[in-house]
């Protein structure tokens, strides 16, 4: 397993991170244990979860993903071999059932959320603790525009320095090793970095944002930050909810697929995305690759990616995804990707 630097942290992490948001919804604990054990056997010791998981978020299942991981750790030990990441939910997006709706990034709520995550994970520290999304109106989760309403809606926004101070205190306590962001913008990322330097607080080492062949918006602004400020990307949705495996081509809807089960996952189903997906599939076939191999190999070859977060609902999918990282795309294939991207850039931001 290739290792990459995690921002300016000074440590290395596997180029593949195991995403776990299906544990407790599409996967049972037995299936989760099978994936976790196989991943670790393959050298994939970087696991990502969140207090909000599983997805879709529901009151009756909230926290069960962390609980399953904690149960695995209790049963198998080996906590010292793992690099464990989790995320604290912000307001609105996660639902009022999380901490009774008290989801601001203030010190008391960060402490409460961390207490609960540590208890569920059955550990006394989390290696990477991330803000799941910004606590302010901005463009994330598929929203591109930044409107007048966003600009002037400043109610109930916790100052970033307060959030950073609270997270830095937890690092000093040893309950967090490193801090990261998620679904963050260039402004937010640079602001956190500036405040860390100005106030002598912890620097963020990573940003977990979507990045795939159908959504390369990270390259606009954020990639330059990664280059000059040493903040690594943890790329999520690398297969675009499964669209970039090819299983939804020509209108197919496999019975147990996330898209088939949950109507809320419509981000990658627009006509422009389907056209682009078909072009990438044909490019892959031309070079004797699967669409999965093309999609994942493209991401791993980007300089700003620290790790790619892969998720699976069964062990065979997980094996296929891990094996795809053995592929290296030629200059000819990369040019083919750019030709398609030029015709239909970022159809599913």
């Amino acid at each position: 397993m290739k290792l990459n630097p995690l921002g300016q942290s000074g440590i290395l992490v596997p180029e593949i991170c195991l995403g776990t948001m299906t544990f407790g919804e599409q996967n049972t604990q037995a299936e989760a244990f099978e994936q976790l054990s196989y991943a670790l056997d393959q050298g994939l010791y970087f696991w990502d979860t969140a207090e909000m998981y599983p997805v879709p978020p529901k009151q009756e299942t909230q926290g069960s993903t962390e609980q399953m991981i904690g149960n695995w750790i209790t049963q198998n030990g080996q906590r010292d071999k793992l690099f464990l990441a989790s995320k604290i939910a912000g307001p609105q997006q996660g639902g009022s059932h999380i901490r009774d709706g008290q989801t601001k990034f203030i010190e008391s709520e960060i402490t409460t959320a961390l207490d609960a995550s540590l208890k569920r994970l059955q550990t006394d520290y989390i290696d990477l603790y991330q803000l799941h999304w910004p606590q302010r109106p901005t463009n994330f989760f598929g929203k591109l525009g930044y409107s007048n309403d966003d600009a002037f809606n400043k109610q109930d926004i916790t100052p970033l320095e307060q959030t950073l101070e609270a997270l830095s205190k937890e690092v000093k306590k040893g309950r967090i090793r490193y801090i990261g962001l998620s679904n963050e913008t260039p402004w937010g990322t640079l602001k956190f970095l500036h405040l860390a330097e100005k106030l002598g607080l912890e620097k963020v080492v990573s940003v977990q944002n979507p990045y795939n062949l159908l959504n390369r918006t990270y390259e606009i602004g954020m990639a330059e930050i990664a280059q000059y400020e040493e903040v690594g990307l943890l790329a999520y949705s690398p297969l675009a909810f499964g669209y970039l495996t090819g299983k939804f081509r020509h209108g197919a809807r496999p019975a147990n697929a996330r898209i088939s089960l949950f109507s809320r996952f419509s981000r990658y189903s627009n006509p422009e995305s389907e056209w682009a997906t078909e072009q990438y599939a044909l490019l892959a076939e031309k070079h004797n690759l699967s669409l999965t191999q093309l999609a994942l190999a493209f991401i791993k070859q980007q300089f700003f990616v620290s790790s790619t977060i892969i998720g699976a609902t069964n062990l065979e999918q997980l094996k296929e995804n891990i094996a795809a990282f053995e592929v290296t795309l030629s200059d000819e294939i990369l040019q083919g990707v750019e030709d398609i991207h030029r015709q239909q850039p970022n159809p599913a931001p």
Side-chain angles (χ1 to χ4, degrees):
M1 180 70 64
K2 182 187 175 189
L3 303 179
N4 293 324
L6 181 66
Q8 76 278 41
S9 67
I11 66 167
L12 301 175
V13 292
E15 66 178 340
I16 309 173
C17 172
L18 181 65
T20 62
M21 74 177 188
T22 60
F23 295 1
E25 180 64 54
Q26 291 175 267
N27 288 113
T28 64
Q29 177 164 287
E31 291 168 337
F33 277 23
E34 185 180 42
Q35 287 195 35
L36 294 168
S37 296
Y38 180 81
L40 188 57
D41 287 344
Q42 301 304 305
L44 201 169
Y45 57 83
F46 185 6
W47 301 348
D48 178 72
T49 186
E51 69 166 339
M52 185 185 79
Y53 292 168
V55 172
K58 294 184 291 188
Q59 183 172 0
E60 57 268 30
T61 59
Q62 186 260 319
S64 59
T65 304
E66 288 185 324
Q67 187 68 57
M68 287 181 181
I69 295 172
N71 292 344
W72 185 96
I73 292 172
T74 295
Q75 179 175 304
N76 295 276
Q78 305 186 79
R79 174 65 183 93
D80 60 331
K81 295 182 179 180
L82 303 175
F83 190 87
L84 197 58
S86 193
K87 299 183 284 291
I88 176 175
Q92 300 175 346
Q93 301 287 331
S96 59
H97 62 276
I98 300 177
R99 286 178 276 118
D100 296 323
Q102 302 302 307
T103 51
K104 294 181 181 180
F105 295 149
I106 59 177
E107 183 173 354
S108 61
E109 285 304 310
I110 289 173
T111 299
T112 299
L114 184 56
D115 285 344
S117 286
L118 290 171
K119 182 177 180 180
R120 288 189 292 263
L121 290 165
Q122 298 166 59
T123 184
D124 56 4
Y125 70 98
I126 292 174
D127 295 282
L128 177 65
Y129 199 56
Q130 305 152 102
L131 306 178
H132 207 152
W133 55 82
Q135 192 202 313
R136 63 182 192 276
T138 189
N139 45 331
F140 59 91
F141 288 152
K143 179 183 176 182
L144 274 181
Y146 188 78
S147 68
N148 287 338
D149 289 341
D150 293 331
F152 294 105
N153 182 9
K154 296 182 179 180
Q155 296 180 356
D156 298 324
I157 298 178
T158 302
L160 299 188
E161 54 265 36
Q162 290 186 22
T163 300
L164 192 58
E165 287 170 353
L167 291 171
S168 296
K169 286 182 181 178
E170 294 293 353
V171 173
K172 289 182 179 179
K173 293 177 185 177
R175 303 206 307 164
I176 300 171
R177 292 182 64 198
Y178 305 101
I179 61 175
L181 306 173
S182 185
N183 297 295
E184 190 51 273
T185 66
W187 179 84
T189 304
L190 286 175
K191 188 67 174 178
F192 271 108
L193 292 170
H194 169 73
L195 289 170
E197 184 173 354
K198 177 182 177 182
L199 303 175
L201 300 172
E202 292 293 318
K203 290 185 177 180
V204 298
V205 299
S206 60
V207 177
Q208 184 178 147
N209 276 15
Y211 185 70
N212 56 58
L213 289 173
L214 302 178
N215 179 6
R216 293 169 55 180
T217 54
Y218 191 89
E219 297 173 11
I220 306 168
M222 292 297 290
E224 190 173 18
I225 293 172
Q227 169 74 5
Y228 291 105
E229 304 295 336
E230 297 183 90
V231 178
L233 170 63
L234 306 180
Y236 80 77
S237 287
L239 294 175
F241 294 169
Y243 275 90
L244 291 173
T245 66
K247 63 184 177 183
F248 300 123
R249 291 175 71 185
H250 313 303
R253 290 295 182 269
N256 294 320
R258 190 186 318 163
I259 300 299
S260 307
L261 293 172
F262 308 114
S263 59
R264 75 193 294 269
F265 295 115
S266 58
R267 188 169 182 174
Y268 298 97
S269 60
N270 63 70
E272 294 79 13
S273 292
E274 292 185 354
W275 179 88
T277 298
E278 185 62 20
Q279 303 313 304
Y280 289 124
L282 294 174
L283 176 65
E285 291 171 359
K286 177 182 176 181
H287 294 278
N288 299 312
L289 297 172
S290 69
L291 182 53
T292 298
Q293 288 174 317
L294 177 70
L296 293 178
F298 173 78
I299 295 173
K300 79 160 191 175
Q301 288 177 230
Q302 307 307 311
F303 73 88
F304 47 80
V305 176
S306 288
S307 192
T308 302
I309 303 173
I310 60 171
T313 53
N314 60 66
L315 193 58
E316 291 308 308
Q317 287 180 354
L318 182 60
K319 290 179 179 179
E320 179 186 6
N321 291 347
I322 293 174
F325 283 78
E326 298 174 6
V327 174
T328 299
L329 303 182
S330 66
D331 290 342
E332 179 185 359
I333 298 174
L334 291 172
Q335 185 58 56
V337 168
E338 292 306 314
D339 291 342
I340 297 168
H341 180 63
R342 190 177 302 111
Q343 293 178 72
Q344 185 58 71
N346 303 317

